Amino acid sequence: MIDVIGPWNRMHHQDTLEAMFRLRHQVFVEEMGWDLPLARNGRETDQFDTARTIYLVYRDEDGAVAGSMRLIPSVLPHVLGDVFPELCSGPVPRGPAIFESSRSCISRKARRKDPNGMIWGALTCGMIEYAMLRELDFITAVMDRRMVDMARVADWHLNPLGPERRIAGGGVVAVTMPIDTHALDTVRLQRGVPDPVLSLRFAGARAA
């Protein structure tokens, strides 16, 4: 199951958040070599980790944090709108029914044991399930071009917001992700993900 941590329950999940920030440091700083000025003391956080940020957390069979994803309401500062707006040919999509997904990561240990990418699929399904609970229109993201192509091959058609750009030696593109049952069923089938994955099933989260 995917745990959802947000403004309504984060005070009960401080240990989980700490483990997640340390996982992000391991993946983005130690493995990928990103230059992130706010990462320090083995923790990776940035200006977009706020009291209103929502986190999806995947745990392994031992209960350890093995993967995570961040969701930010687009009416707040976020990566696409405040760091990479040039990736959009037009205005950056913003609105109460639009969230951004960012900082998706999976531990090295989990990746070794998951060659078919089920954990990535579970986090993605959790994102779609949560978006459907919140009745979002779509989710935006800044993605590696290869991930966009993989989604298209899997019949999940992400919509580019502008042309591909070269950033830090790689090709990236801004996209919107459709939120519907077709997208959910497509990722479940492609990655062998059970239905459903979210531990969250209460009405209060829809208004959080």
Side-chain angles (χ1 to χ4, degrees):
M1 298 293 282
I2 303 291
D3 290 331
V4 183
I5 302 174
W8 61 90
N9 66 350
R10 65 183 300 133
M11 73 289 294
H12 302 302
H13 294 279
Q14 293 303 307
D15 289 346
T16 299
L17 291 174
E18 179 67 17
M20 181 196 69
F21 292 136
R22 291 190 175 279
L23 171 61
R24 280 172 37 176
H25 191 279
Q26 292 167 12
V27 172
F28 297 119
V29 179
E30 299 170 29
E31 292 186 38
M32 301 179 67
W34 288 11
D35 181 15
L36 300 171
L38 297 181
R40 56 178 63 94
N41 300 322
R43 303 172 78 254
E44 192 281 305
T45 62
D46 65 17
Q47 66 270 36
F48 306 117
D49 292 299
T50 72
R52 292 183 63 185
T53 304
I54 295 156
Y55 303 98
L56 306 182
V57 178
Y58 181 95
R59 299 178 185 276
D60 64 19
E61 61 274 13
D62 298 320
V65 174
S68 66
M69 176 186 293
R70 178 173 73 182
L71 297 174
I72 303 172
S74 67
V75 295
L76 301 177
H78 61 288
V79 176
L80 177 59
D82 293 76
V83 180
F84 298 117
E86 70 275 9
L87 292 175
C88 296
S89 297
V92 174
R94 296 181 188 267
I98 302 170
F99 278 32
E100 177 191 69
S101 171
S102 59
R103 286 299 196 270
S104 301
C105 65
I106 300 169
S107 73
R108 179 183 291 157
K109 176 183 176 182
R111 277 178 270 138
R112 288 173 179 162
K113 298 171 68 173
D114 182 34
N116 296 322
M118 190 279 292
I119 296 175
W120 176 85
L123 285 167
T124 302
C125 287
M127 175 191 73
I128 297 172
E129 288 180 27
Y130 180 76
M132 293 174 75
L133 280 174
R134 290 291 300 264
E135 300 181 350
L136 301 186
D137 292 335
F138 54 82
I139 289 176
T140 64
V142 176
M143 298 182 67
D144 186 299
R145 179 74 218 193
R146 292 170 296 179
M147 297 297 294
V148 179
D149 293 338
M150 288 172 59
R152 184 176 292 113
V153 169
D155 197 33
W156 184 29
H157 293 273
L158 310 185
N159 304 304
L161 291 167
E164 177 182 347
R165 301 288 179 90
R166 300 293 294 181
I167 297 177
V172 299
V173 62
V175 300
T176 62
M177 305 180 188
I179 300 302
D180 52 34
T181 54
H182 173 75
L184 186 57
D185 292 342
T186 295
V187 179
R188 283 176 178 158
L189 179 63
Q190 180 76 8
R191 301 293 176 173
V193 177
D195 171 24
V197 297
L198 282 194
S199 61
L200 178 71
R201 282 293 181 274
F202 56 90
R206 295 179 61 180

